[in-house]
Amino acid sequence: MKFQSILFTLFAATQVASESCKKMAGGVVSNCGNDQDAFFLKNVKLMGKPARGSELKIQVDGVVRETINPGAKVTIKIKRQGRTLINITKDICELLVERKIGYKCPVKAQKISKTHVLKIPGYAPRGDYDIEASGVNKNNRRIFKVNIKATI
């Protein structure tokens, strides 16, 4: 009986957590952030479909509510069929420069509208992917959290 109670509690907690995510881009992207996050994701628009060997344009609109300083980290986890393919953590400021996003640190409070082209390798395995991206500042306070479900 206790085991069933624990399972029910976990299930209920999972349901509450998933309901707090706002779906965007036709349900592909879920903004799982909250009002205290340093970055508020307003909208995501995908132009095209994820396909092997193609380019996917992603437009992101949001608001940086408080300055994002060096030392902030982003973690990206990519899973396919339940298996973790990529689990990396990088400095957000280094990533902005490396990926030529068009911003540099510190990123001051401002509105952001950016279109980025993601090149999907021709060798990417077909299937369903779950992607989680989250960021924290150097004090471990959350900046953002996004979940993406994509099929290639």
Side-chain angles (χ1 to χ4, degrees), residues 4 17 29 108:
Q4 289 175 335
V29 178
K108 303 282 185 194

Side-chain angles (χ1 to χ4, degrees), residues 1 3 11 23-24 26 38 42 46-47 49 73-74 86 101 103 113 129 145 150-151:
M1 191 67 148
F3 182 71
F11 175 77
K23 292 191 183 283
M24 306 175 172
K42 284 177 131 177
L46 303 178
M47 293 161 268
K49 288 194 156 227
K73 303 281 185 202
V74 62
I86 296 173
I101 303 293
Y103 296 93
S113 183
Y129 290 82
K145 183 175 181 189
T151 300

